[in-house]
Amino acid sequence: MGSKVPRSRCLYTPIIPSSRSLVSPFSRSFATAAPESSATDRTPYRTKITFQDRLNSGPSLSEFIPTPSSNLPTSEALELRTALVGPAGKKKEITRLPEWLKTPIPNNENYKKIKSDLRGLNLHTVCEEARCPNISDCWGGNDKAAATATIMLMGDTCTRGCRFCSVKTSRAPPPLDPHEPEHTAEALSRWGLGYVVLTSVDRDDLADGGASHFAETIMKIKQKAPGMLVEALTGDYAGDLEMVERVARSGLDVYAHNVETVEELTPMVRDRRAGFRQSLSVLERAKKVSEGRLITKTSIMLGLGETEEQLWEALRELRKVDVDVVTFGQYMRPTKRHMKVHEYVTPATFEMWRQRALDTGFLYCASGPLVRSSYKAGEAFIENVLKKRASQSQTAIADSARGVAEQRPF
């Protein structure tokens, strides 16, 4: 019987591969080997359609952002373009966003600072919640005006569901933040603005509709910054005019409430709890309770299917209740769940309605495709009007005091 090899010796003995291991699976075949089937003989592999493919078949980023190098003639810039989008066999025609509605992407220091302050104080803005196209201009600021933001009070969830609005809705929104008035006043005092716009969601779940919360916020702002002018864009408080009076007497300078559209389209556009006549009563009461001191303001969207005669009638009704300022802007569909755009109104038509509003007797009218109810150019004009009124009031008081002093016997 042969002797066994010690285990220690086996560890250092070179391993000789077997004859099977010499044949590599990747070794080159002989010339006489049978040729493999070509790629053309195989069944072609069909790649699955991914989300990225569908995204690439839709509108590109350049369709939403104006390119600096594209200087189109006026006739081409005002032309509405269409395109076919979607997978093969299911393509549908859509209308491209017109050139005059494209805005730059917000990305600068002012924008980042305002966003950081808002997040730190747990505040919301209608600029973000309503997807306003002017956010890059208002938050970013420019050489002519400081950056501004429209603060949205009472949370980011509304109890109403208007068909044009992208703000979240719920029958039972979260409770109010009791620290919100103080935080709002603190944020606005940090920015050092001369004019600020406050708005809010509708809170039909509250007994007073949130009027007390709104009024408290305005009073806090006036305490921290007495020289700051405040515009309040309020809801209709379900027609409770006592709540309208509460906000109107809180120390604000401009009372705004939007009728949104003409009377005939109101049932199709706004929530069923809102009404054109109800909105008129809100604006009328705010004007009366302030004895004409407050500037009243409203906004109308175009492109919803309104007619020229309906717009004329809406302007006449607004002047009957002595509304001072009106703005016109293009309705832009936030998502596919909202009502469709009936028409993209041209800048020339907006300019025509601006002139018609002024001829009707309005103090000021901001009108343009990207104009919104809290439009910055309108704020600058109203700020100058309010300062001029204050100056005239002080002059009148001084003249009156001087006249009394002259009449006193020595």
Side-chain angles (χ1 to χ4, degrees), residues 37-289:
S37 59
S38 62
T40 55
D41 298 336
R42 299 175 183 176
T43 303
Y45 178 73
R46 184 176 180 181
T47 57
K48 296 181 179 180
I49 297 177
T50 63
F51 173 75
Q52 185 177 4
D53 296 329
R54 295 186 180 184
L55 187 64
N56 291 334
S57 66
S60 63
L61 187 62
S62 62
E63 295 294 333
F64 300 91
I65 307 172
T67 53
S69 59
S70 60
N71 297 320
L72 297 175
T74 305
S75 58
E76 293 186 22
L78 296 180
E79 181 183 354
L80 292 179
R81 303 175 185 272
T82 60
L84 294 175
V85 298
K90 295 183 179 180
K91 291 185 179 294
K92 60 180 181 179
E93 187 179 59
I94 64 168
T95 302
R96 295 291 194 194
L97 196 68
E99 289 293 323
W100 63 82
L101 289 176
K102 296 180 182 180
T103 57
I105 294 177
N107 185 24
N108 56 35
E109 293 304 320
N110 281 338
Y111 174 85
K112 294 176 182 177
K113 181 180 183 301
I114 290 179
K115 190 168 186 176
S116 176
D117 287 346
L118 292 169
R119 295 297 173 271
L121 294 171
N122 193 29
L123 298 177
H124 305 278
T125 66
V126 73
C127 316
E128 294 176 296
E129 302 301 332
R131 305 183 184 187
C132 181
N134 297 319
I135 191 170
S136 60
D137 185 30
C138 294
W139 285 30
N142 50 40
D143 296 336
K144 298 180 180 179
T148 61
T150 301
I151 303 295
M152 190 166 71
L153 304 176
M154 298 187 280
D156 62 350
T157 306
C158 185
T159 55
R160 299 189 183 182
C162 297
R163 295 185 63 200
F164 66 89
C165 184
S166 64
V167 176
K168 292 185 294 185
T169 61
S170 173
R171 291 182 180 178
L176 299 181
D177 179 7
H179 304 292
E180 186 177 49
E182 183 67 29
H183 287 171
T184 302
E186 178 64 27
L188 295 176
S189 62
R190 285 182 190 177
W191 298 338
L193 305 176
Y195 191 104
V196 64
V197 180
L198 302 176
T199 188
S200 72
V201 292
D202 282 298
R203 292 298 299 263
D204 298 294
D205 59 317
L206 303 176
D208 64 348
S212 301
H213 190 85
F214 212 131
E216 182 186 356
T217 304
I218 296 171
M219 290 187 284
K220 291 280 187 183
I221 294 172
K222 288 294 186 178
Q223 288 173 4
K224 288 183 176 290
M228 185 180 293
L229 300 175
V230 179
E231 175 182 329
L233 175 57
T234 75
D236 57 16
Y237 300 112
D240 190 344
L241 299 182
E242 290 185 5
M243 300 302 105
V244 175
E245 293 181 8
R246 184 173 300 179
V247 177
R249 290 191 173 120
S250 62
L252 76 166
D253 302 283
V254 179
Y255 195 109
H257 174 69
N258 293 340
V259 296
E260 307 295 3
T261 185
V262 297
E263 184 172 10
E264 290 79 3
L265 295 181
T266 296
M268 286 75 75
V269 175
R270 302 175 68 185
D271 186 271
R272 59 181 177 79
R273 288 163 284 187
F276 187 84
R277 295 291 163 180
Q278 185 166 278
S279 293
L280 289 179
S281 66
V282 169
L283 292 165
E284 184 178 22
R285 180 59 64 91
K287 193 72 167 182
K288 286 182 177 179
V289 75

Side-chain angles (χ1 to χ4, degrees), residues 303-344:
L304 293 167
E306 65 286 336
T307 65
E308 189 169 334
E309 181 54 38
Q310 289 171 350
L311 275 174
W312 270 120
E313 183 61 26
L315 291 179
R316 286 191 287 265
E317 292 296 326
L318 290 170
R319 283 306 301 148
K320 285 181 182 178
V321 296
D322 204 16
V323 174
D324 300 300
V325 178
V326 64
T327 65
F328 295 106
Q330 171 69 52
Y331 165 64
M332 298 173 69
R333 190 183 189 185
T335 69
K336 292 182 179 180
R337 296 184 293 104
H338 296 82
M339 61 186 304
K340 295 182 179 180
V341 177
H342 185 271
E343 176 190 9
Y344 285 115

